[in-house]
Each structure stands twice: as C-alpha cells, then as structure tokens.
Amino acid sequence: MSFSKDEVIFTFCDNIYFHKFAKAFIFSSLKYKNATHIHIVNPDEDCLALLQKTQATSADFSYSTSSYDFSACSVAFTKAYFICARFLLIPSLFAKNKNLKLLMFDADCLVRQKIQMPNKPLGLFLRVANKNEHLKVLASVFYMDIRAMQYLKQVNQYIKQIGIKWFTDQIALHRAYQNISNQQDVFVFDKAFHSVEFDQNAPTWAAKGDLKFENNAFNEEVRQYEALPYLS
C-alpha cells in the first residue's frame, strides 16, 4: 500500500461492515473524485476481489488489510476494537507520506461532495457543552496533518490507558484536546458539514445508531452505490 495522493479520505472496518456500509462510503467518495483509502480487518474473498478491482479501476483508491483473531473476544471488545484501532493505525499512514492530509470517517458515513480539507493541523467535531465526557467529541469525523502528530500520540496513549471499550475513542480525543495549548489551531466541524440529520446540503452524512437501518434517505443513497457505477 502506498499513497500517491496527499489529500486522502480514510475509513476502517471489518469485512462485515464493508459489505453493509463501507462499499457505499467508498463509491460515494470516489464519485466526487476524492482520493480514498480503506483499511479492512479480516477481509473475505469477495471483499478482496472488490478492493482489487476498485484499485485497478480508480487512481483515487487504495486499500490495506490486517488480520485479528476475535474468537476469544467478547462482543463488546470486538465492537470497540475498530473505533480504537483506526487511531492506532494512523501513524503508519503518515510514515508513508509526511505530506498527508487525512480526513477519517466512520465506515457508515456517506460523502456527497468534493471535499476541501481544513486549513488547520487538526479537525474535530466538538460538543464541549455536553456534560458527558464521552460525548464531548464526535469521533465519526476526524482530520489531521503531520503537525497534529503529537496530539495523535496523546490520543493513542489515552486509548491504551482506558482500554478497548465503547466510547474510548471519544474520551481520548477530548482528553487530548484539553491538553492543546492553542485551541484556535483546531478546525471545528459542525452539522453543516457532517450531518447526523441527513441534510441534503451537507457534504457528508453520519448515520448514527439505528438511523443507519431506519432512515429512508440514507438507505436509498446507500443502495444507489450497490451497482458500482462511479468507478472512473
């Protein structure tokens, strides 16, 4: 795996989530000529075949894979593994391209426009007024360039301290944010960019919780990409 692009949209999931949602995420992003990278844990043969076909067809697409034995893991650990491991993987991506501008999304999001990267080292969806620590940052969108590597190191230290649990990523993001001396250097995402209410004008959609199964607008848009019509 190598990055020929400096501005990259990134997501991380397993083969199950890939087939349910991440295929649509990839093709929604590629439709608008966004360079896109996905990391898949335990890909199956169908998953690999599609990844290889997409990479051969689109110069904007790349992928990487890894394996993990979940056979002795609880359902809770398995579910939380993916939200934590993606942050632990990011340093290896920057090792391949120090000019990288990385915009990471949950795999059940959709991209609906050509994305302009933030002009600051770090981008977070802040909800600091929320009384609950685990909800003060929304982790379904995250941006950084090499200047934010120290912040990422702190995030990953907190992840290791807290352990692999649901909401560990959001707690770690918030705790590391509190340590930033100049918080004006943080680009703040909002619902106008990353809509959890499926605003038609929003550049990206985030399908939180059961909405990924219940919202008609989201599911109709996901189904549009099943035929894979957007490979250039």
Side-chain angles (χ1 to χ4, degrees), residues 9-41:
I9 288 176
F10 170 61
T11 196
F12 184 110
C13 66
D14 66 353
N15 63 309
I16 297 172
Y17 228 66
F18 175 82
H19 290 298
K20 286 183 177 179
F21 300 108
K23 285 191 297 184
F25 173 85
I26 290 169
F27 295 118
S28 71
S29 182
L30 293 176
K31 174 183 178 180
Y32 296 102
K33 307 300 182 183
N34 296 294
T36 306
H37 182 83
I38 186 168
H39 184 89
I40 307 285
V41 180

Side-chain angles (χ1 to χ4, degrees), residues 10-12 25 83 86 104-109 139-141 208:
F10 170 61
T11 196
F12 184 110
F25 173 85
I83 64 172
R86 55 185 178 168
M104 182 171 71
F105 293 95
D106 285 352
D108 53 10
C109 293
S140 60
V141 58
K208 308 305 294 180

Side-chain angles (χ1 to χ4, degrees), residues 51-183:
L51 293 170
Q52 292 164 1
K53 177 181 178 182
T54 306
Q55 184 166 259
T57 309
S58 174
D60 289 325
F61 180 72
S62 60
Y63 73 92
S64 54
T65 66
S66 62
S67 60
Y68 195 97
D69 183 2
F70 293 102
S71 60
C73 300
S74 67
V75 172
F77 176 92
T78 301
K79 181 179 178 182
Y81 171 85
F82 297 94
I83 64 172
C84 297
R86 55 185 178 168
F87 288 97
L88 301 175
L89 179 75
I90 290 175
S92 69
L93 304 182
F94 277 88
K96 299 176 186 300
N97 183 357
K98 296 188 184 303
N99 296 318
L100 187 61
K101 296 181 178 181
L102 190 76
L103 183 58
M104 182 171 71
F105 293 95
D106 285 352
D108 53 10
C109 293
L110 288 172
V111 180
R112 310 183 72 251
Q113 295 179 19
K114 174 68 176 177
I115 300 299
Q116 182 176 350
M117 295 294 177
N119 58 1
K120 295 187 177 183
L122 178 67
L124 299 171
F125 195 119
L126 297 175
R127 304 183 294 188
V128 292
N130 197 297
K131 296 180 180 179
N132 299 305
E133 183 186 25
H134 67 281
L135 298 176
K136 287 181 177 292
V137 179
L138 180 66
S140 60
V141 58
F142 170 81
Y143 169 81
M144 66 171 287
D145 63 28
I146 193 69
R147 296 172 293 173
M149 189 55 69
Q150 187 57 41
Y151 172 84
L152 179 66
K153 289 179 180 178
Q154 291 189 26
V155 169
N156 287 338
Q157 288 171 358
Y158 284 125
I159 287 174
K160 293 172 182 177
Q161 289 173 10
I162 300 166
I164 306 301
K165 305 172 185 177
W166 199 243
F167 290 124
T168 286
D169 58 340
Q170 297 191 164
I171 294 171
L173 288 170
H174 179 251
R175 290 183 183 178
Y177 170 73
Q178 289 182 303
N179 297 334
I180 296 175
S181 58
N182 186 5
Q183 295 178 346

